[in-house]
């Protein structure tokens, strides 16, 4: 049997992520015995062991790890198909609403470029409606994979472009954003090592895939929170040069002389055949 049902994939992924049948059942809103039976039936159908069971819980076999990776991608693809189909359906029929594209952007990044892109595309005949969806650090790729976004502005080396088509739009340097009154704010440049070791001013920590990297800096949820904490002298941050557009009077921006350049790309799912998306990409590459 080479086919898998979405339901059983969802069951297995929950167990594989929790590594505990009880917690997985609670997460799925179901009883544990039918969940255990469903996973056992899946193993029999595939002819492999997906889990190693013991008194303390479960562990993934090599086959289980493979199905977890593939299963996540498959569930994302199903969710993406549903979301994009609903958006396409909104434009059906004469006199109905026009096409709509969701553009994921990292909050505070590529501010001027984004303005230019939206204005230039809006002037195109038959331009689709663009919904701008702000995202956290490195979330744009996940939004493309699960269909929350149709296209994204992504930034290497922070984002990975694997699995997406993309076009390069802009290259820029990086800056340290500090409280305006800090002694380092008067420097002409700083190094990454200096910024990472400022006494009393730890670097802010952004969530990545739901977890925060270790460190003494504050956990940041959004750009407004970050801006306020920098102004209060509680943290510092590293951003692309274009972040100067949203700085407050209480902030200072100091160039980093050894930071790698940040390249902004417009990226989209490789399988997309949307004419509206093709028009947006064409506009972006002409900026």
């Amino acid at each position: 049997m080479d086919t898998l049902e979405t339901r059983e994939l969802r069951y297995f992924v929950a167990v594989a992520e929790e590594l505990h049948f009880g917690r997985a059942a609670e997460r799925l809103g179901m009883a544990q015995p039918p969940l255990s039976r469903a996973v056992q039936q899946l193993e029999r159908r595939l002819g492999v062991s997906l889990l190693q069971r013991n008194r303390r819980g479960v562990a993934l076999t090599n086959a289980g790890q493979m199905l977890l990776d593939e299963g996540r991608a498959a569930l994302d693809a199903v969710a993406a198909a549903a979301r994009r189909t609903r958006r396409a359906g909104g434009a059906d029929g004469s006199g109905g609403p026009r096409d709509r594209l969701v553009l994921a952007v990292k909050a505070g990044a590529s501010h001027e470029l984004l303005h230019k892109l939206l204005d230039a595309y809006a002037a195109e005949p038959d331009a689709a409606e663009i919904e701008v969806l702000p995202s956290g650090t490195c979330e744009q790729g996940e939004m493309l994979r699960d269909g929350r976004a149709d296209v994204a502005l992504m930034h290497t080396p922070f984002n990975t472009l694997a699995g997406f088509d993309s076009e390069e739009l802009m290259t820029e340097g990086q800056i340290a954003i500090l409280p305006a009154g800090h002694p380092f704010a008067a420097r002409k440049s700083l190094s990454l090592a200096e910024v990472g070791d400022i006494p009393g001013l730890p670097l802010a920590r952004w969530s990545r895939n739901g977890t925060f990297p270790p460190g003494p800096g504050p956990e940041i949820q959004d750009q407004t929170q970050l801006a306020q904490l920098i102004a209060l002298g509680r943290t510092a941050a590293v951003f692309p040069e274009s972040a100067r557009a949203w700085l407050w009077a209480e902030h200072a921006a100091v160039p980093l002389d050894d930071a790698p350049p940040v390249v902004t790309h417009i990226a989209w799912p490789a399988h997309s055949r949307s004419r509206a998306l093709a028009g947006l990409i064409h506009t972006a590459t002409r900026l």
Side-chain angles (χ1 to χ4, degrees), residues 172-218:
E172 59 185 320
Q174 297 192 59
I175 55 174
I177 303 176
L178 311 171
H182 193 277
F184 278 17
R187 295 273 296 272
K188 292 184 178 181
S189 66
L190 291 167
S191 68
L192 285 171
E194 288 174 320
V195 174
D197 194 30
I198 302 176
L201 204 64
L203 283 174
R205 294 181 293 141
W206 290 88
S207 172
R208 294 194 178 192
N209 300 320
T211 61
F212 291 90

Side-chain angles (χ1 to χ4, degrees), residues 158-175:
F158 307 113
N159 297 123
T160 175
L161 299 173
F164 304 120
D165 286 341
S166 65
E167 290 284 351
E168 183 177 321
L169 301 182
M170 180 178 72
T171 300
E172 59 185 320
Q174 297 192 59
I175 55 174

Side-chain angles (χ1 to χ4, degrees), residues 31-251:
Q32 181 176 334
L35 176 60
S36 298
R37 289 195 296 270
V39 173
Q40 289 171 352
Q41 182 180 10
L42 177 60
E43 288 178 311
R44 287 195 297 270
R45 287 177 54 221
L46 293 175
V48 295
S49 295
L50 301 172
L51 302 168
Q52 294 175 340
R53 299 159 174 83
N54 55 51
R55 294 180 180 178
R56 291 176 295 179
V58 296
L60 289 172
T61 63
N62 289 337
Q65 183 62 56
M66 176 64 72
L67 185 58
L68 173 59
D69 295 339
E70 297 287 346
R72 282 170 170 161
L75 291 174
D76 281 347
V78 170
R83 288 179 172 128
R84 293 190 175 112
T85 298
R86 290 191 193 102
R87 284 200 288 275
D92 286 343
S94 60
R98 58 181 175 163
D99 288 344
R100 180 165 65 96
L101 294 173
V102 178
L103 170 63
V105 299
K106 179 182 174 182
S110 304
H111 185 77
E112 184 177 354
L113 174 65
L114 179 59
H115 269 286
K116 289 181 178 178
L117 174 59
L118 295 177
D119 289 346
Y121 181 65
E124 294 291 331
D126 300 322
E129 176 187 354
I130 302 295
E131 177 185 341
V132 177
L133 181 61
S135 67
T137 301
C138 299
E139 290 181 349
Q140 302 98 307
E142 188 65 27
M143 290 177 170
L144 287 180
R145 279 186 285 271
D146 67 16
R148 283 176 289 168
D150 302 296
V151 60
L153 294 184
M154 299 174 72
H155 313 276
T156 57
F158 307 113
N159 297 123
T160 175
L161 299 173
F164 304 120
D165 286 341
S166 65
E167 290 284 351
E168 183 177 321
L169 301 182
M170 180 178 72
T171 300
E172 59 185 320
Q174 297 192 59
I175 55 174
I177 303 176
L178 311 171
H182 193 277
F184 278 17
R187 295 273 296 272
K188 292 184 178 181
S189 66
L190 291 167
S191 68
L192 285 171
E194 288 174 320
V195 174
D197 194 30
I198 302 176
L201 204 64
L203 283 174
R205 294 181 293 141
W206 290 88
S207 172
R208 294 194 178 192
N209 300 320
T211 61
F212 291 90
E219 296 179 352
I220 301 300
Q221 303 291 344
D222 57 53
Q223 182 184 325
T224 301
Q225 179 192 27
L226 173 65
Q228 186 172 38
L229 288 175
I230 294 175
L232 292 172
R234 302 300 178 89
T235 190
V238 172
F239 266 81
E241 181 79 24
S242 56
R244 290 179 184 270
W246 59 262
L247 297 189
W248 298 0
E250 296 90 344
H251 299 155

Side-chain angles (χ1 to χ4, degrees), residues 258-277:
D258 62 347
V262 176
V263 182
T264 299
H265 304 256
I266 187 167
W268 63 95
H271 62 270
S272 177
R273 298 294 182 270
S274 166
R275 291 185 179 181
L277 176 57

